[in-house]
Amino acid sequence: MSGPVLVLNCGSSSVKYRLVQPASGESLADGVIERVDDYPKALQEVFDAVSAAGVSAGEIACVGHRVVHGGRRFYRPTLIGDELIAELEELAPLAPLHNPPGLLGINAARKLLPDVPHVAVFDTAFFHNLPAAAAEYAIDRDVADKWHIRRYGFHGTSHQYVSEQAAQFLGLPLESVNQIVLHLGNGASASAIAGGRPIDTSMGMTPMEGLVMGTRSGDVDPGIIMYLSRAAGMSVEDIDVLLNRRSGVSGLGGATDFRELHKRMDDGDEAAQLAYDVYIHRLRKYIGGYLALLGGADVITFTAGVGENDAAVRRDALAGLLALGIEVDEERNLSANRGARRISTDTSPVSVLVIPTNEELAIARACVDVCQVD
Ligand code: ADP
């Protein structure tokens, strides 16, 4: 297969796209269509942009769709046909915010590009084989089985890509490395990976569990949900909006973007400071937990918008951990270099890296594998 792959990420209100040459990683076009309520129209805009970049529909080798939730069944990148779509529709209740727009995008893209193979790449895939001890919630087995309640994990494409890159950066075989990957973007998740296999991750049944995020709470006592329902009379929808959209650093500190959060902290804004402190506290708890699960890490890697760009978050997440073999070099951490880089000292037993994630490239390469096999 030759020719570029069009990677589509259709969210609840935006369509992100990138046209990638899978072998070289070269990006030929990319962009975001915001405030989408009409997917066929948004995808027409995507294809107009692709044409403007000088690539005709006939030249596109494959369309790769990021699908958030694959349930238990789907984990390998899968060629999309009518049957797969029907099965994905059945999975929609597992990820009500994410899968339905993804399906709308898939349907619209297939209509516009009917002669090109379309491939679904699942964000849960990398975590498909989490050990049962990490994947299961301690709730009634029958209820969990009936309703497919387990920890699926998300951002899998990024955790896999970044962990492979980290091993490569260190010049070590993936199988020999214990790693912690911290994907800190608007959504945020951590994973513990032993020899290339994830043994735990912070997101669970849905992308709400775990770390504090831009607008999502991450871990909360589930008792809060019952309490808000009984005492405050909030509906399920109200609580959903509260925990998904009015929480996280935004809910606590009034800003989603870490650049704005820091500005407010510098101005002495106590709410912003508290949001940051809670964010760092939770992050450190996960790092400590994963060090224990792994029996020590060889490498800790930061990635995504906050992880790649926010030196203060990286410093504070790992400050004072010399006793655990982790020492960040202040100057390296502050470097303006934006590529894959080491930020630990030369004598730090644990390597600390920053590696830009590239989910689109990882999706494009996964598509090539499927199209070549089928
Ligand atoms: P997502 O893919 O989850 O939407 P990203 O990985 O693109 O998110 O991360 C976006 C977030 O990264 C922004 O909300 C902001 O908090 C953070 N970010 C981006 N650039 C910077 C920067 N220069 N300094 C600090 N934080 C940044």
Side-chain angles (χ1 to χ4, degrees):
M1 187 177 99
S2 64
V5 176
L6 177 61
V7 178
L8 293 175
N9 181 357
C10 295
S12 54
S13 66
S14 71
V15 172
K16 291 187 194 160
Y17 66 93
R18 186 178 295 176
L19 189 66
V20 195
Q21 286 290 9
S24 66
E26 187 192 354
S27 173
L28 304 176
D30 66 64
V32 188
I33 317 277
E34 306 271 12
R35 285 177 287 280
V36 172
D37 44 29
D38 179 340
Y39 282 85
K41 198 167 136 234
L43 284 171
Q44 186 60 54
E45 277 183 55
V46 170
F47 295 136
D48 290 347
V50 166
S51 311
V55 176
S56 68
E59 289 169 288
I60 296 174
C62 174
V63 183
H65 297 266
R66 175 173 183 252
V67 179
V68 170
H69 215 308
R72 273 182 203 239
R73 220 162 131 225
F74 297 106
Y75 53 97
R76 291 202 181 85
T78 309
L79 203 59
I80 298 174
D82 293 341
E83 272 166 42
L84 180 75
I85 292 198
E87 296 199 53
L88 288 180
E89 273 164 3
E90 277 176 31
L91 282 178
L94 277 177
L97 286 181
H98 298 94
N99 274 22
L103 276 165
L104 289 172
I106 289 173
N107 286 330
R110 284 179 86 208
K111 282 212 181 93
L112 279 167
L113 283 178
D115 301 324
V116 174
H118 291 249
V119 175
V121 179
F122 300 95
D123 212 30
T124 44
F126 184 51
F127 300 116
H128 179 72
N129 281 327
L130 272 186
E136 298 298 334
Y137 290 105
I139 64 171
D140 182 278
R141 279 299 292 264
D142 295 338
V143 174
D145 285 347
K146 175 158 185 222
W147 294 98
H148 311 293
I149 296 171
R150 72 186 283 264
R151 308 189 62 255
Y152 292 92
F154 299 85
H155 291 149
T157 307
S158 178
H159 285 278
Q160 180 168 18
Y161 174 82
V162 168
S163 56
E164 287 167 4
Q165 295 289 311
Q168 214 172 335
F169 183 95
L170 297 172
L172 295 170
L174 186 61
E175 300 70 38
S176 73
V177 192
N178 273 356
Q179 16 187 341
I180 296 174
V181 174
L182 304 168
H183 176 112
L184 310 177
N186 252 324
S189 61
S191 65
I193 302 170
R197 288 198 48 185
I199 62 164
D200 204 354
T201 190
S202 59
M203 284 178 168
M205 158 97 178
T206 75
M208 288 174 73
E209 192 180 336
L211 301 175
V212 176
M213 314 189 200
T215 64
R216 277 174 253 163
S217 61
D219 295 336
V220 291
D221 177 348
I224 294 171
I225 296 164
M226 282 78 92
Y227 174 73
L228 285 175
S229 167
R230 292 189 189 116
M234 286 174 75
S235 67
V236 170
E237 282 70 28
D238 293 339
I239 299 171
D240 190 338
V241 169
L242 173 76
L243 297 178
N244 261 312
R245 308 217 184 117
R246 291 172 46 210
S247 296
V249 288
S250 168
L252 267 173
T256 309
D257 193 305
F258 271 68
R259 288 163 286 197
E260 175 63 23
L261 201 67
H262 283 298
K263 235 185 264 162
R264 293 184 184 202
M265 285 157 61
D266 291 344
D267 292 342
D269 182 331
E270 284 176 18
Q273 185 65 52
L274 177 66
Y276 183 78
D277 292 347
V278 173
Y279 181 92
I280 295 292
H281 181 91
R282 180 86 49 87
L283 187 55
R284 288 173 67 91
K285 241 163 71 166
Y286 269 91
I287 293 167
Y290 287 175
L291 284 170
L293 286 179
L294 290 163
D298 302 300
V299 53
I300 299 176
T301 305
F302 290 89
T303 193
V306 178
E308 291 167 32
N309 296 300
D310 196 319
V313 165
R314 296 193 297 259
R315 176 197 64 207
D316 295 335
L318 298 177
L321 297 186
L322 195 54
L324 298 176
I326 301 165
E327 188 178 35
V328 171
D329 182 291
E330 214 173 304
E331 216 168 284
R332 286 180 183 170
N333 187 34
L334 289 170
S335 150
N337 176 353
R338 285 289 164 261
R341 58 201 187 272
R342 182 194 299 273
I343 59 163
S344 47
T345 62
D346 289 337
T347 50
S348 176
V350 179
S351 297
V352 183
L353 307 181
V354 178
I355 294 187
T357 192
N358 194 338
E359 290 164 281
E360 291 82 5
L361 178 59
I363 290 173
R365 289 188 174 157
C367 289
V368 174
D369 294 343
V370 174
C371 293
Q372 274 169 351
V373 170
D374 283 292

